[in-house]
Amino acid sequence: MTGRLTVIDCDPGTDDALALWLALGSPELDVRLVTVAGGNVGLELTLANARAVVGLAGLPVPVVGGADRPLLGRYVSETRVHAANGIGGITLPEGPPAAPGVASDAIRDLLRRAGPGEATLIGLGPATNLALVFATEPALADRVREIILMTGAWGEGNITPGAEFNAASDPEALAMLLAAGLPVSLVTLDLTAQAFVTPERLAALRARGEGRCLGAACDILAAVPTSRRFGFAGFPLHDPCAVALAVRPELLAVREVAARVECGEGPGRGRTHLDRWDRWDRWDRWGAPANVRLAETLDADGFFALLGERLAALP
Ligand code: RIB
Ligand code: CA
């Protein structure tokens, strides 16, 4: 099987770590490049974590650092969920050195060598690196088969009442991607809430094998605090859902909708407005063409079975 030419941009991040292992363990994807931004924790740590995660899988995928801050606004971390080191306080062996250069340049180089509609981009953190690619070379949009972003929400946020962390971290970057004529697919908090990690699911995952990546993934999950939004019964697993959309799209139901993100200052900054019921059409005849594919439902049991199968396939 020839996998989809894939770039993953991330901010590891406990869920980013599992998403990277899911992608690296899936033959449907040919992961050629991992790029990193500051996000859950600062860039120095997210880069070290990405190198360690890729290194533990024993695969020669280059890891390149990028933006340590958003295009505008202030950098905010999320150590309450990911702990001070970004991966739940779990220690992984140090990975290979980062590849030289800057994330956005590395992505542009890869896209220049790709054919039309050949590359899949998966964004798992603030969208800064990805936005810089198309701000500096917009014509590369035609090399993109799909850009899948774990970002946003149609319901409540998780870093402010209205905004999800990645969107709120760099709303201008997300707005640029929405305006770049790219085939955008969104995986929001409302979708990832369906990928709910419970003690039973974690136990089933751990029982799938003895490999070092599976063991580390389960140790990382065991360190994630349960979510008060869900009555402390468990927590949603965000980033692997975005990878699952590329690996096994039939696990998610997707619909085309109009999407916008708020960039101004004030309580709505980073809020994604997702018009699932064509309300903009009726509000003032303003109208708004559908510009994203929105993942709305997930086959959760199928997702966790895929995650276990692919993590168990890694060393
Ligand atoms: O809001 C969840 C998203 O923000 C995930 O990608 C998590 O890793 C953080 O980056
Ligand atoms: Ca992330």
Side-chain angles (χ1 to χ4, degrees):
M1 171 190 295
T2 305
R4 292 172 64 160
L5 170 59
T6 299
V7 177
I8 299 179
D9 185 68
C10 56
D11 64 329
T14 52
D15 55 327
D16 303 70
L18 272 89
L20 285 170
W21 280 321
L22 172 58
L24 294 170
S26 294
E28 295 86 348
L29 303 184
D30 174 11
V31 181
R32 297 277 189 85
L33 173 64
V34 171
T35 54
V36 186
N40 288 314
V41 287
L43 176 64
E44 184 178 345
L45 283 171
T46 54
L47 183 55
N49 291 336
R51 290 166 44 220
V53 166
V54 173
L56 202 67
L59 294 168
V61 177
V63 178
V64 181
D68 69 353
R69 71 199 65 185
L71 297 175
L72 293 173
R74 64 192 179 89
Y75 164 73
V76 176
S77 65
E78 182 49 282
T79 54
R80 295 169 302 177
V81 172
H82 303 274
N85 79 339
I87 47 174
I90 302 302
T91 300
L92 298 179
E94 184 173 2
V102 172
S104 53
D105 293 343
I107 298 169
R108 288 191 305 166
D109 290 344
L110 180 142
L111 290 178
R112 283 195 211 102
R113 286 180 276 111
E118 187 182 5
T120 296
L121 308 179
I122 302 177
L124 306 176
T128 319
N129 291 330
L130 295 169
L132 288 171
V133 169
F134 300 101
T136 49
E137 208 162 337
L140 290 176
D142 76 356
R143 308 293 173 86
V144 177
R145 169 177 171 174
E146 184 177 22
I147 176 167
I148 301 172
L149 301 174
M150 193 281 128
T151 194
W154 64 75
E156 66 180 346
N158 64 350
I159 193 71
T160 70
E164 176 279 329
F165 178 82
N166 289 333
S169 292
D170 199 339
E172 284 80 10
L174 177 55
M176 289 169 70
L177 293 179
L178 292 176
L182 288 158
V184 175
S185 298
L186 294 187
V187 174
T188 68
L189 291 181
D190 322 89
L191 188 285
T192 65
Q194 300 167 53
F196 196 67
V197 179
T198 61
E200 296 73 23
R201 278 177 166 156
L202 179 50
L205 207 52
R206 197 179 285 275
R208 291 298 301 261
E210 303 293 330
R212 62 180 189 247
C213 292
L214 176 64
C218 291
D219 292 345
I220 289 171
L221 287 181
V224 176
T226 53
S227 167
R228 58 187 173 145
R229 268 198 308 150
F230 297 95
F232 299 104
F235 58 88
L237 186 54
H238 305 297
D239 291 342
C241 293
V243 172
L245 181 57
V247 170
R248 190 162 297 165
E250 59 270 25
L251 289 176
L252 298 89
V254 176
R255 200 155 54 96
E256 295 203 347
V257 305
R260 286 179 171 77
V261 58
E262 278 190 52
C263 295
E265 288 312 317
R269 180 168 172 80
R271 173 81 182 143
T272 50
H273 297 275
L274 304 173
D275 188 6
R276 298 169 67 221
W277 310 113
D278 301 324
R279 301 198 193 288
W280 276 323
D281 274 345
R282 291 200 298 273
W283 170 244
D284 62 1
R285 310 308 307 162
W286 177 25
N291 58 341
V292 303
R293 297 171 68 248
L294 178 66
E296 292 186 303
T297 58
L298 174 75
D299 169 356
D301 290 338
F303 167 76
F304 281 102
L306 174 71
L307 185 63
E309 174 194 318
R310 299 304 162 84
L311 289 179
L314 290 170

